Amino acid sequence: MTRLTLGNVVKVTAVLVFLPLIAYLVLVIGAVRKHVGAALEGLLYAAGFSVAVFVLDGAWGPRVLLALAAMGVSAVRAWHRRDLWLPARRRWWKRDLTGSAVVVERNRAQAVVAVEAAQPLPAAVARIRTLAERNRRRLPGDTHRTVLRTCEVLDAVIAAEQREPAGDARFEYELDAVVRQYLPAVLTGYLAIAPSRVQERQPDGRTPDEELTEQLRILAGQADALYASRHRLLTAELSTTGNFLRDKYAHHELDVPDLRIP
């Protein structure tokens, strides 16, 4: 990573040209970057400098001290906040290597998902569990336990479906999507990210760790919903059968032939 870029050189040159107004630099940075904290801090330095220049009288004394203090503190704080206006860039040869690594990891993740799609559902769940166990040290917080619990629920749903198929196309689609697509894609997508970057804030304000936790929570809820839906389908089917039998036989006497010997 380097800050020696053309854009940064132009910015520093502009600061040097307008050096007497450096007390306003933090305010300008905050306003341009829409950073409230920097803008309020810069407003303090700018106000102090403005008071020293336009309000106080005298060639020396408090006026000069206040102006120099505002300029000096603003310059130091601008350097402390350099990430806002002098962003670091990865060197081009490292940038290419990083991009290639990301492409390789993404292709690997897609290949894993493709393998999942070709496997039976129990084998796909077992593969997810193995992947989580193998990378348990990389998974943040309670996400490892969340994956294992989700796999247990999915195993129960799949076993029940294999014993007695519900015959509901939407239910089968949702179960297949969670097991073969969504859950493997979330795990492999997270593991494709370099460990050093899982704490970096993304444009939406979330880190990859937070995204993984949230998405696994959603998938765990979906697994529970499938489990409950499975039992509702069976209960509804049993009730339908019962209603049919009651309507057909409950209010009619069976015509049983008299088989007694005279």
Side-chain angles (χ1 to χ4, degrees):
M1 304 289 283
T2 179
R3 298 185 190 276
L4 187 58
T5 63
L6 179 60
N8 290 347
V9 170
V10 172
K11 294 174 187 176
V12 173
T13 302
V15 170
L16 294 177
V17 170
F18 296 98
L19 188 61
L21 301 177
I22 198 171
Y24 298 96
L25 180 56
V26 177
L27 176 61
V28 172
I29 293 172
V32 172
R33 301 300 297 177
K34 297 181 180 179
H35 192 286
V36 178
L40 293 177
E41 182 182 358
L43 185 61
L44 179 63
Y45 307 143
F49 183 79
S50 299
V51 168
V53 173
F54 301 109
V55 177
L56 297 181
D57 295 328
W60 301 99
R63 180 184 186 185
V64 175
L65 291 177
L66 181 58
L68 291 177
M71 294 172 63
V73 175
S74 178
V76 172
R77 290 298 296 156
W79 175 250
H80 289 167
R81 293 185 178 274
R82 58 189 177 275
D83 289 337
L84 290 177
W85 65 293
L86 297 175
R89 294 285 186 265
R90 191 178 297 275
R91 297 186 184 276
W92 64 269
W93 60 86
K94 294 183 179 180
R95 193 179 309 160
D96 289 343
L97 290 176
T98 303
S100 300
V102 171
V103 170
V104 170
E105 291 294 340
R106 287 179 178 173
N107 291 339
R108 185 180 302 168
Q110 293 173 357
V112 170
V113 174
V115 171
E116 292 282 354
Q119 290 181 328
L121 291 180
V125 175
R127 187 180 181 88
I128 295 170
R129 184 183 289 108
T130 301
L131 182 64
E133 289 287 359
R134 188 166 58 243
N135 296 277
R136 63 183 306 168
R137 295 185 180 277
R138 284 199 56 192
L139 298 178
D142 294 334
T143 53
H144 173 257
R145 283 186 291 181
T146 302
V147 173
L148 295 185
R149 182 187 174 280
T150 303
C151 288
E152 290 178 0
V153 175
L154 292 174
D155 277 335
V157 175
I158 293 169
E161 183 69 9
Q162 289 178 337
R163 288 193 305 268
E164 186 68 30
D168 185 275
R170 181 174 180 81
F171 174 83
E172 294 173 358
Y173 169 79
E174 292 293 341
L175 178 61
D176 186 271
V178 171
V179 174
R180 288 185 171 141
Q181 298 179 36
Y182 303 146
L183 191 53
V186 169
L187 274 180
T188 54
Y190 174 83
L191 294 174
I193 301 173
S196 60
R197 309 194 69 175
V198 295
Q199 295 292 338
E200 293 183 1
R201 294 281 174 189
Q202 303 304 305
D204 61 357
R206 290 173 174 264
T207 65
D209 281 352
E210 293 171 346
E211 280 290 352
L212 177 68
T213 302
E214 176 68 12
Q215 292 177 26
L216 288 180
R217 183 189 64 80
I218 294 173
L219 290 175
Q222 179 64 10
D224 291 335
L226 289 172
Y227 184 83
S229 176
R230 162 74 189 178
H231 287 280
R232 282 197 301 269
L233 289 173
L234 294 178
T235 303
E237 183 178 351
L238 182 62
S239 298
T240 301
T241 303
N243 292 334
F244 170 77
L245 294 176
R246 281 187 288 271
D247 290 341
K248 186 173 182 63
Y249 297 116
H251 303 294
H252 299 82
E253 293 183 359
L254 295 176
D255 295 330
V256 180
D258 190 358
L259 300 178
R260 290 178 298 176
I261 300 176

